[in-house]
Amino acid sequence: MSLVKSVWPPALRISTATVLLCAWFLSATATISRADESGTSFWLPGTFGSLAAAPEQPGWAFASVYYHTSVSAAADVARSRELQIGNFNPNLNVNLNATLKANADLALLVPSYTFATPVFGGQLAVQMGTIVGRTSASINGTLSASLPPFSLLRTDSIGDSVTGFGDLYPQASLKWNSGLNNFMTYITGDIPVGDYSSTRLANLGLGHGAIDGGAGYTYFNPATGRELSAVTGLTYNFTNPVTNYQSGVDWHLDWGASQFVSKQVDVGLIGYVYQQLTADSGQAAILGDFKSRVFAVGPQIGFIFPVGEMQGYLNLKAYKEFAAENRPEGWNGWLTLAVSPAAAPPPLQSTLVHK
């Protein structure tokens, strides 16, 4: 397997490591802001981005992320969340005119290792991550319900927050390079060991296991500094043993396009599409299919700099969501710092001129 060789590889490697080592682990924030059961999902849209399938420099790497999100959702998601926490009897005929609002401030630490020896002709990388931070959620609105011959009307105002650790998120990926074209496949999942309670409005853990796999492509032209990437995948969710609820199969597409304006700086656009394909099931799936969907787009900018004998990459990106269904909608921002091995210096070239 040959790696891309040009003046651009440092940016290529660092940017790739940033995306693959950091972004997707933030899926733990889903329990306060995302889809499927009570509007939550394992996959965090925006996990992959620019240079996702490009090769990396072999060796150990480390990345950290500060992540902030602010979202809100209307009655269906708010009602689902109240049903989950046992705030009212699911057999009630409920009309909930309410809004769910959620925020998260999280820190992520992710070590990874990229092997130098090819596997199936590709480059194998493995990683593990978790998060620490704080999430909060609130529901405010008016609830009317009836269970003949009784009826009730009340103002709903519920708030909750949690500070602690999230689940564990292992991942393995294989990448192949062929000139300007790069290909990858990956598998990841959720080990549900984080802070979670089915009776809480906000959680850092998901409450159930999940497995996700997919494939990606990156076009990168070192001569022009232009790239285009897309990664797609499917998530299978296991049953939540506490609620006996199983979320449906989810499909996601993350994409990114960037331009290196110098050897140290790149700018571009990023976006994602998220769509639940199959219906939820289980004793608590009383809202029907409750399939979720969301789109997003936003800007990004990155900076490359030396860190001793290593190389650092600082990236700032933000997404604005729209067209959400059965899912909170808002915005999220990512500030990522990644440190990885620097490129090996090119071999010395003779300056002798032979006549």
Side-chain angles (χ1 to χ4, degrees), residues 51-70:
L51 296 164
E56 304 170 31
Q57 188 72 6
W60 286 100
F62 183 80
S64 61
V65 179
Y66 167 69
Y67 175 83
H68 175 82
T69 184
S70 179

Side-chain angles (χ1 to χ4, degrees), residues 41-341:
S41 67
F42 161 70
W43 186 261
L44 180 68
T47 290
F48 292 106
S50 291
L51 296 164
E56 304 170 31
Q57 188 72 6
W60 286 100
F62 183 80
S64 61
V65 179
Y66 167 69
Y67 175 83
H68 175 82
T69 184
S70 179
V71 296
S72 62
D76 282 348
V77 177
R79 180 188 177 198
S80 175
R81 191 64 59 88
E82 290 215 42
L83 286 170
Q84 173 196 302
I85 65 176
N87 204 43
F88 51 76
N89 189 329
N91 295 318
L92 290 173
N93 181 15
V94 174
N95 180 18
L96 182 63
N97 182 17
T99 300
L100 168 71
K101 294 184 178 181
N103 296 278
D105 290 283
L106 303 170
L108 163 69
L109 302 176
V110 187
S112 73
Y113 187 79
T114 299
F115 294 87
T117 303
V119 177
F120 299 115
Q123 186 184 63
L124 173 65
V126 294
Q127 54 206 40
M128 176 70 77
T130 190
I131 63 171
V132 59
R134 181 180 186 275
T135 71
S136 62
S138 63
I139 293 177
N140 294 280
T142 301
L143 171 74
S144 61
S146 63
L147 185 62
F150 305 102
S151 63
L152 64 88
L153 179 67
R154 78 165 191 250
T155 298
D156 233 20
S157 183
I158 306 171
D160 191 18
S161 64
V162 60
T163 300
F165 292 88
D167 296 342
L168 294 177
Y169 311 97
Q171 178 176 297
S173 64
L174 274 174
K175 301 178 186 178
W176 297 267
N177 166 252
S178 177
L180 305 182
N181 302 300
N182 303 273
F183 308 89
M184 70 167 290
T185 185
Y186 76 91
I187 186 168
T188 183
D190 183 286
I191 302 175
V193 296
D195 289 325
Y196 170 82
S197 171
S198 63
T199 60
R200 279 204 308 247
L201 200 59
N203 281 294
L204 283 168
L206 189 59
H208 65 81
I211 187 168
D212 185 285
Y217 169 78
T218 291
Y219 168 83
F220 180 70
N221 188 332
T224 63
R226 296 174 185 170
E227 71 85 30
L228 178 65
S229 299
V231 180
T232 186
L234 295 171
T235 302
Y236 178 82
N237 296 284
F238 296 99
T239 300
N240 186 324
V242 177
T243 63
N244 196 33
Y245 191 105
Q246 184 174 20
S247 298
V249 174
D250 304 320
W251 170 75
H252 48 85
L253 171 69
D254 299 338
W255 61 268
S258 64
Q259 171 70 57
F260 283 90
V261 296
S262 72
K263 295 181 182 180
Q264 290 76 36
V265 179
D266 67 287
V267 297
L269 292 174
I270 33 80
Y272 54 74
V273 180
Y274 179 95
Q275 175 68 62
Q276 184 176 340
L277 300 179
T278 64
D280 297 346
S281 62
Q283 69 177 28
I286 67 172
L287 296 181
D289 288 359
F290 204 57
K291 293 179 181 178
S292 57
R293 182 189 72 190
V294 73
F295 299 85
V297 67
Q300 65 171 331
I301 185 169
F303 305 90
I304 303 164
F305 55 92
V307 181
E309 297 182 353
M310 307 281 282
Q311 284 184 323
Y313 181 71
L314 184 67
N315 178 270
L316 176 63
K317 65 178 183 177
Y319 295 89
K320 179 64 177 72
E321 295 180 325
F322 58 94
E325 290 185 0
N326 297 320
R327 174 187 189 93
E329 176 182 306
W331 69 275
N332 54 82
W334 316 56
L335 179 61
T336 302
L337 173 63
V339 178
S340 67

